[in-house]
Amino acid sequence: MRTQHYNPSNLEVDFAKAFHDLSPHLESRIDQAQVVDIKAEHNIDNPQLTFRLKDKEGDLHEIVVQIIQRPDHMVK
């Protein structure tokens, strides 16, 4: 499959949506905090998921997962 558009590519969007769907499974593997919110931006240049976490002391933290597809000619 030749990628025609990278901003975002269909593969990036599909991967970001799949990762978002798997998010409930991630929370069970995080010992020090719980996920309180997920902001999903699937259709921006590099799709991203922003996880808002609350630790055991009640402090809030953010983890950002950004999906970037490298151009096809860069993959060897």
Side-chain angles (χ1 to χ4, degrees):
M1 159 181 88
R2 185 78 53 205
T3 303
Q4 301 296 321
H5 304 282
Y6 285 96
N7 297 322
S9 73
N10 291 334
L11 190 55
E12 285 175 328
V13 172
D14 288 347
F15 194 92
K17 288 178 180 177
F19 197 88
H20 189 206
D21 290 346
L22 293 172
S23 296
H25 301 289
L26 297 174
E27 184 171 14
S28 68
R29 304 196 52 125
I30 302 170
D31 293 334
Q32 300 178 15
Q34 74 178 92
V35 177
V36 294
D37 186 45
I38 302 169
K39 180 181 176 186
E41 297 179 274
H42 296 305
N43 294 311
I44 62 174
D45 182 6
N46 295 313
Q48 67 183 29
L49 300 169
T50 303
F51 291 82
R52 188 159 223 198
L53 308 170
K54 184 185 277 188
D55 66 22
K56 293 178 181 177
E57 287 102 34
D59 297 324
L60 293 174
H61 306 275
E62 283 190 347
I63 302 289
V64 178
V65 177
Q66 192 165 36
I67 311 300
I68 301 170
Q69 180 183 358
R70 293 182 187 216
D72 294 342
H73 70 277
M74 300 288 291
V75 180
K76 299 215 180 218

